[in-house]
Amino acid sequence: MNGPGDQAAPRETAEWDDRYDALLEGRREATFFHTRAWARTVTAAFPQLRDDARILTAGGEPCALPLFRWQRLGGLLTTWHSSFPFLYGGPVPARPAAWKALDALLERVGGSVILVGNPFAALAPQAEPASGPPEARAIGQGCPESAGRESLSVAMAASLQRGVETTHLLTLPTSVEAYWRDVLTTRKRNDIRRLTRKGVTVEISEAPADLEAVYQLYQRRMATWEQRPQLIYPLNLYREMIARGQGAARCYVARYEEKVIGGTFVIRWNGIVHYNAGYFDDRARALRPNVLIQERIIRDAIEDGFRIYDMLPSAGLAKVAAFKESFGGRPVHFPRWERLGRGHRWRSAWRRRR
């Protein structure tokens, strides 16, 4: 798969990792999910996954490209992912020439392809505005429905089917007081105060017992689904996030009467806090641990000087989107491309005949 200017990741090579991560420095579109630390995290959690990150030459300059290869049935089913399990990928710097280089790279391989772009690439300005802190204005101004227009128009191979993902972004105010006053509704503020008085607490925890308790809430939720999800996340994913996250990963845990009733994993890196996953006890729904956790995540982010809270896509669920919007999240689009490989087409056809 290698070509001119295409350098694949050597396994466990610190020098190559440093060179790759250096390409992310100072780039607003770079996320933690582009980094070598994240690649180490997910490949440790998913043994079937191969790290195929690249340094490509595009338009005369190098670019960092996270890339993963997921193989099943002895390689008959192979999927190339620009990010894994979901989250954000694509080249950094995210210029048209870099996307074209990625396109050419994937034209040379077989199998299925899932390329997920990056809302921060679509929104990062080409030049700094004349005044004011650039971090505070990089995202969140203008109409979010059209903010990703330039990135969405990137030309890719005809074999790739283009789609659109939608996340929810909150440009963080400069103070917690401003957030409570200008973003949260009176009803939401009263709800948070009521639940706090009731005795629901939120804390940051790395205790193995807490991580396992939050994961058990995830397992309980999965058991209620009528159709088994295509991918069940292992507990080791969350353990590895904390262990290998270089301080970027956090787990917020909600308790009531000393019992874990909810938890949320977040990533804090490059001025952005990303919601990663959250699981809650349905039996404690009246205590609304998700509300208190969200407020605590945002409050900590503001106090620590972060500029954006990224709530991630809502899987098309209107209630989930409405919940995020109630905390100030605004919808922002970014691109996604897919190609179904021959092995997956054969499997789909076989299933339809059964």
Side-chain angles (χ1 to χ4, degrees), residues 252-326:
Y252 286 83
V253 176
R255 301 184 196 276
Y256 182 67
E257 296 180 346
E258 300 184 359
K259 181 181 179 182
V260 173
I261 60 172
T264 294
F265 294 89
V266 301
I267 298 291
R268 296 157 44 103
W269 192 83
N270 196 27
I272 303 170
V273 177
H274 303 272
Y275 178 99
N276 182 269
Y279 309 117
F280 306 96
D281 190 343
D282 283 340
R283 297 170 297 187
R285 183 175 299 177
L287 298 173
R288 305 195 69 188
N290 53 341
V291 170
L292 288 182
I293 287 179
Q294 288 296 320
E295 192 277 336
R296 173 66 186 275
I297 291 170
I298 294 169
R299 175 158 39 99
D300 286 355
I302 293 171
E303 291 177 345
D304 293 341
F306 284 81
R307 55 191 172 89
I308 301 158
Y309 180 38
D310 169 29
M311 302 180 188
L312 289 192
S314 304
L317 301 175
K319 289 184 178 180
V320 176
F323 177 79
K324 295 176 180 180
E325 290 169 9
S326 74

Side-chain angles (χ1 to χ4, degrees), residues 35-337:
T35 68
R36 301 301 296 142
W38 179 253
R40 302 294 188 211
T41 295
V42 293
T43 51
F46 296 93
Q48 314 94 314
L49 192 67
R50 175 174 172 176
D51 173 19
D52 268 297
R54 306 276 154 159
I55 297 177
L56 293 177
T57 299
E61 67 174 339
C63 64
L65 174 67
L67 194 62
F68 301 97
R69 188 191 312 184
W70 179 270
Q71 291 185 311
R72 288 171 289 168
L73 299 179
L76 178 61
L77 299 179
T78 299
T79 305
W80 297 88
H81 295 264
S82 67
S83 59
F84 196 88
F86 164 65
L87 309 169
Y88 303 127
V92 175
R95 298 196 173 114
W99 278 105
K100 289 180 181 178
L102 169 59
D103 191 10
L105 175 69
L106 292 173
E107 278 292 290
R108 305 201 302 266
V109 303
S112 298
V113 171
I114 299 177
L115 303 181
V116 178
N118 184 333
F120 313 106
L123 295 174
Q126 295 299 312
E128 299 294 352
S131 62
E135 292 79 10
R137 296 187 318 279
I139 289 180
Q141 295 185 349
C143 175
E145 295 300 321
S146 60
R149 184 178 301 152
E150 181 179 351
S151 183
L152 290 173
S153 66
V154 172
M156 300 294 280
S159 62
L160 296 173
Q161 182 177 2
R162 190 180 71 177
V164 177
E165 295 281 359
T166 304
T167 188
H168 283 76
L169 302 182
L170 167 64
T171 300
L172 296 169
T174 56
S175 69
V176 176
E177 292 75 14
Y179 177 71
W180 271 64
R181 181 186 67 241
D182 301 333
V183 180
L184 292 180
T185 63
T186 300
R187 180 178 180 181
K188 187 75 72 179
R189 292 194 296 266
N190 291 337
D191 210 15
I192 293 168
R193 294 187 184 105
R194 176 182 61 82
L195 295 168
T196 301
R197 288 194 299 267
K198 198 172 182 68
V200 182
T201 62
V202 177
E203 63 185 71
I204 300 166
S205 177
E206 295 184 2
D210 286 341
L211 301 185
E212 187 166 352
V214 174
Y215 185 75
Q216 287 174 354
L217 297 176
Y218 168 60
Q219 289 184 307
R220 189 181 302 164
R221 175 63 60 84
M222 293 298 100
T224 65
W225 284 30
E226 294 183 4
Q227 184 175 356
R228 180 180 172 86
Q230 293 183 353
L231 180 64
I232 300 292
Y233 297 164
L235 173 58
N236 201 35
L237 172 62
Y238 304 107
R239 289 172 172 165
E240 293 289 346
M241 281 174 56
I242 300 298
R244 296 175 182 262
Q246 300 176 349
R250 281 187 177 182
C251 180
Y252 286 83
V253 176
R255 301 184 196 276
Y256 182 67
E257 296 180 346
E258 300 184 359
K259 181 181 179 182
V260 173
I261 60 172
T264 294
F265 294 89
V266 301
I267 298 291
R268 296 157 44 103
W269 192 83
N270 196 27
I272 303 170
V273 177
H274 303 272
Y275 178 99
N276 182 269
Y279 309 117
F280 306 96
D281 190 343
D282 283 340
R283 297 170 297 187
R285 183 175 299 177
L287 298 173
R288 305 195 69 188
N290 53 341
V291 170
L292 288 182
I293 287 179
Q294 288 296 320
E295 192 277 336
R296 173 66 186 275
I297 291 170
I298 294 169
R299 175 158 39 99
D300 286 355
I302 293 171
E303 291 177 345
D304 293 341
F306 284 81
R307 55 191 172 89
I308 301 158
Y309 180 38
D310 169 29
M311 302 180 188
L312 289 192
S314 304
L317 301 175
K319 289 184 178 180
V320 176
F323 177 79
K324 295 176 180 180
E325 290 169 9
S326 74
F327 280 92
R330 302 172 66 199
V332 176
H333 302 320
F334 60 99
R336 174 189 181 100
W337 291 276

